[in-house]
Amino acid sequence: AQKVTQAQTEISVVEKEDVTLDCVYETRDTTYYLFWYKQPPSGELVFLIRRNSFDEQNEISGRYSWNFQKSTSSFNFTITASQVVDSAVYFCALRIDTGFQKLVFGTGTRLLVSP
Amino acid sequence: DSGVTQTPKHLITATGQRVTLRCSPRSGDLSVYWYQQSLDQGLQFLIQYYNGEERAKGNILERFSAQQFPDLHSELNLSSLELGDSALYFCASSGTGFTDTQYFGPGTRLTVL
């Protein structure tokens, strides 16, 4: 079975601090996809990034960066110079490479950025 | 804006009632997924449709059913509602490619009183 663990329930930082959100996943499949979604206070789920299991290259997009390490089954998300608008719940999700395309979500990490 | 629309945004009803949630996928997307987000269960997959046919089922109760119509919009029907059905219901859609990303709608918040 697949499982995603986000051990950090809530993180509070002050604006301009860097923050890393942890994600650990479990799957026996060799081909899978990892995702991060953001859920701001308004409630919608916003797609941030997708990674496949064969691509361990780290990615940077503006203030966001992602570190994928298959050796530790982790897909961590770092926000550099956090801003108040980054306050949200962030979900890590896993999808395996079969006809069953459901996403398995972690429990989410609530990030609170104060001014 | 993901391009996925859901109506209504909010729904308040009583126990025992039946409601219908509606979802329109992004233009060109053939797959529609339904997820439930509740405080105790988190985000859980309910069901997937692809081009009008049921593709996969998750933790969907027998009191719940869904369908996808020829114009590709989907409806999730919830009947004999219980207090525990109060949740945020999301619809997502993805394209024809197997590896396509799921994009989520704004959700329908259901409150059962």
Side-chain angles (χ1 to χ4, degrees), chain A residues 101, chain B residues 25 28-33 48-56 67-74 92-96:
Chain A
Q101 294 171 276
Chain B
D29 284 358
L30 298 182
S31 274
V32 169
Y33 310 77
Q48 177 198 359
Y49 277 83
Y50 179 83
N51 202 19
E53 293 190 4
E54 182 183 304
R55 172 66 68 87
Q67 53 184 327
Q68 186 179 27
F69 295 86
D71 66 352
L72 300 177
H73 90 272
S74 177
S93 74
S94 68
T96 56

Side-chain angles (χ1 to χ4, degrees), chain B:
Chain B
D1 187 349
S2 66
V4 179
T5 61
Q6 288 186 249
T7 56
K9 193 166 178 60
H10 300 279
L11 199 47
I12 302 174
T13 188
T15 54
Q17 294 299 304
R18 173 189 168 95
V19 297
T20 297
L21 312 184
R22 182 187 169 104
C23 167
S24 292
R26 295 186 316 159
S27 176
D29 284 358
L30 298 182
S31 274
V32 169
Y33 310 77
W34 287 97
Y35 290 83
Q36 179 194 58
Q37 184 179 28
S38 62
L39 284 175
D40 53 346
Q41 298 288 330
L43 266 163
Q44 293 222 330
F45 168 75
L46 295 178
I47 197 165
Q48 177 198 359
Y49 277 83
Y50 179 83
N51 202 19
E53 293 190 4
E54 182 183 304
R55 172 66 68 87
K57 255 184 177 178
N59 300 320
I60 188 167
L61 300 171
E62 284 192 13
R63 300 183 284 108
F64 297 0
S65 65
Q67 53 184 327
Q68 186 179 27
F69 295 86
D71 66 352
L72 300 177
H73 90 272
S74 177
E75 293 181 357
L76 179 66
N77 300 296
L78 315 176
S79 62
S80 302
L81 285 168
E82 301 175 0
L83 296 178
D85 298 327
S86 296
L88 189 53
Y89 291 85
F90 284 107
C91 168
S93 74
S94 68
T96 56
F98 181 74
T99 61
D100 283 2
T101 295
Q102 294 177 31
Y103 291 91
F104 284 76
T108 292
R109 183 166 297 281
L110 173 66
T111 302
V112 182
L113 301 175

Side-chain angles (χ1 to χ4, degrees), chain A residues 43-108:
Chain A
E44 72 271 25
L45 278 169
V46 179
F47 166 73
L48 295 178
I49 190 172
R50 183 185 81 188
R51 252 316 178 238
N52 73 53
S53 53
F54 296 111
D55 183 2
E56 285 194 73
Q57 219 173 12
N58 292 331
E59 181 155 340
I60 298 175
S61 176
R63 296 183 297 107
Y64 294 172
S65 63
W66 291 268
N67 184 304
F68 176 30
Q69 291 194 339
K70 285 179 75 171
S71 61
T72 55
S73 297
S74 65
F75 185 42
N76 296 337
F77 173 29
T78 296
I79 302 175
T80 304
S82 59
Q83 299 177 1
V84 172
V85 293
D86 296 327
S87 296
V89 180
Y90 291 86
F91 291 94
C92 181
L94 166 70
R95 196 188 80 203
I96 60 175
D97 188 26
T98 68
F100 200 56
Q101 294 171 276
K102 72 170 186 178
L103 289 171
V104 174
F105 284 90
T107 50

